[in-house]
Amino acid sequence: GQQLNQSPQSMFIQEGEDVSMNCTSSSIFNTWLWYKQDPGEGPVLLIALYKAGELTSNGRLTAQFGITRKDSFLNISASIPSDVGIYFCAGLMTNFGNEKLTFGTGTRLTIIP
Amino acid sequence: KAGVTQTPRYLIKTRGQQVTLSCSPISGHRSVSWYQQTPGQGLQFLFEYFSETQRNKGNFPGRFSGRQFSNSRSEMNVSTLELGDSALYLCASMGEYEQFFGPGTRLTVL
């Protein structure tokens, strides 16, 4: 099925560095969601964005819903070891009550000691 | 509110067998979706149920099926298991605008 273009695919950073990742799509969405997945577990919802231009923070995480409704980014400031994992974006489009969620391909974050 | 629950968490089967996985959504959620996740493949959408009806379907063979009960609990079934069916199977329930995932069932096919 369709997947969103998420970049970068992987990141290797040192503890304390800031992280930035983004998702782009050829389709518009009316909600953007960002998830983090730890190995062997289900994705956990980090941030939800509901309107174009919206900027939302959750602790050290900040995400924005692009003005065109076709993109979103996630920033993590001052990374810590527990930030390691795979981050997924997801775009939601509702159509006459039928929601369709499309996922990005994921960004794997690794922290180098 | 309790989150999405999935049972069992781990399962080992052999080729040719069939398996049934169970999911209980967040209370009040009527939409349940199933995903298959294999290393390097991301989240592959299987199907979505809403009010006991399959509303959306991904691109998987007919060996993969599901159903939803009147209490919104859902099951998915995989018949004639193949080695390639080894994966983490995730269930998610949809609120108004957000989808929440369960912990997954890790299926290993030997």
Side-chain angles (χ1 to χ4, degrees), chain B residues 40-85:
Chain B
Q41 287 292 321
L43 291 159
Q44 303 294 317
F45 174 73
L46 281 155
F47 28 67
E48 182 218 357
Y49 286 86
F50 181 85
S51 293
E52 302 178 66
T53 301
Q54 188 179 86
R55 188 162 67 168
N56 289 300
K57 188 176 188 305
N59 192 24
F60 276 80
R63 299 186 296 108
F64 292 82
S65 63
R67 59 178 176 168
Q68 187 180 33
F69 302 94
S70 58
N71 62 359
S72 293
R73 190 177 70 84
S74 177
E75 288 180 347
M76 68 162 279
N77 185 279
V78 188
S79 62
T80 319
L81 283 166
E82 300 176 359
L83 294 179
D85 296 334

Side-chain angles (χ1 to χ4, degrees), chain A residues 86-100:
Chain A
I86 302 177
Y87 292 80
F88 291 98
C89 63
L92 176 68
M93 190 65 197
T94 54
N95 184 13
F96 299 102
N98 187 357
E99 301 90 13
K100 186 164 172 54

Side-chain angles (χ1 to χ4, degrees), chain A residues 51-90:
Chain A
K51 59 181 182 180
E54 180 181 354
L55 185 71
T56 296
S57 293
N58 178 7
R60 295 177 296 106
L61 277 62
T62 302
Q64 185 158 29
F65 192 143
I67 288 291
T68 65
R69 296 172 62 192
K70 293 183 179 181
D71 61 340
S72 178
F73 73 75
L74 175 71
N75 285 344
I76 305 172
S77 62
S79 57
I80 60 177
S82 61
D83 292 334
V84 166
I86 302 177
Y87 292 80
F88 291 98
C89 63

Side-chain angles (χ1 to χ4, degrees), chain A residues 42-57:
Chain A
V44 173
L45 183 64
L46 299 173
I47 289 181
L49 301 155
Y50 304 106
K51 59 181 182 180
E54 180 181 354
L55 185 71
T56 296
S57 293

Side-chain angles (χ1 to χ4, degrees), chain A residues 1 3 30-31 33 35 37 39-45 48 50 86 88 92 94 96-101 103-105 108, chain B residues 9-10 31 35 37 40-45 48 50 55-56 59 88 90 94-104 106:
Chain A
Q3 286 186 311
N30 50 28
T31 300
L33 308 172
Y35 293 87
Q37 185 177 25
E41 299 292 329
V44 173
L45 183 64
Y50 304 106
I86 302 177
F88 291 98
L92 176 68
T94 54
F96 299 102
N98 187 357
E99 301 90 13
K100 186 164 172 54
L101 197 62
F103 282 88
T105 48
R108 182 181 295 274
Chain B
R9 288 295 312 275
Y10 303 92
S31 165
Y35 297 84
Q37 188 178 37
Q41 287 292 321
L43 291 159
Q44 303 294 317
F45 174 73
E48 182 218 357
F50 181 85
R55 188 162 67 168
N56 289 300
N59 192 24
L88 182 67
L90 292 161
M94 178 71 87
E96 188 172 3
Y97 298 112
E98 304 94 3
Q99 190 168 76
F100 299 91
F101 284 86
R106 169 72 63 187

